[in-house]
Amino acid sequence: MQQEISRRTRSALPRDLNQLHLALLRKWFWARKPDAGFLLEGFPATLLQALVFDEWLEARGETLTGCFALDPLSAEPVVTYYRTSGLLRGALPAAA
């Protein structure tokens, strides 16, 4: 029984962290002044976060002017999404 609980806790952790990250950024996004410029580092990190972020932007009538990928291999679905959208301005290789 203890092993099953431990396995469930570990597998739920990334989802919980993802939800926490989204909750914190949601609070920031909706509290900021409309049309205020911003630079986000490390967000969106997943395709789900990118889709949610696009919904927030659309709800406020805002758009992104561009994005950069600092580690295109680790965030490949996000990079592909923004490249397809025409928003990817550059991708830099990860530091060794």
Side-chain angles (χ1 to χ4, degrees):
M1 182 69 158
Q2 181 65 25
Q3 191 176 19
E4 179 64 26
I5 291 170
S6 176
R7 189 174 24 229
R8 270 194 254 149
T9 303
R10 275 195 306 262
S11 67
L13 187 60
R15 187 184 74 223
D16 293 343
L17 288 176
N18 188 41
Q19 292 296 329
L20 177 63
H21 199 200
L22 277 173
L24 291 171
L25 281 159
R26 182 184 320 114
K27 184 175 181 179
W28 161 81
F29 183 81
W30 293 104
R32 72 179 185 61
K33 293 180 181 179
D35 296 324
F38 58 87
L39 173 67
L40 298 174
E41 184 178 337
F43 182 84
T46 66
L47 184 56
L48 175 64
Q49 289 177 352
L51 295 171
V52 168
F53 190 55
D54 281 354
E55 287 180 8
W56 296 347
L57 289 165
E58 186 177 325
R60 284 184 73 157
E62 297 176 324
T63 59
L64 293 176
T65 54
C67 62
F68 292 87
L70 297 179
D71 188 1
L73 295 179
S74 70
E76 187 175 343
V78 177
V79 171
T80 302
Y81 175 74
Y82 284 118
R83 182 178 288 124
T84 303
S85 300
L87 293 170
L88 189 67
R89 302 288 182 236
L92 304 172

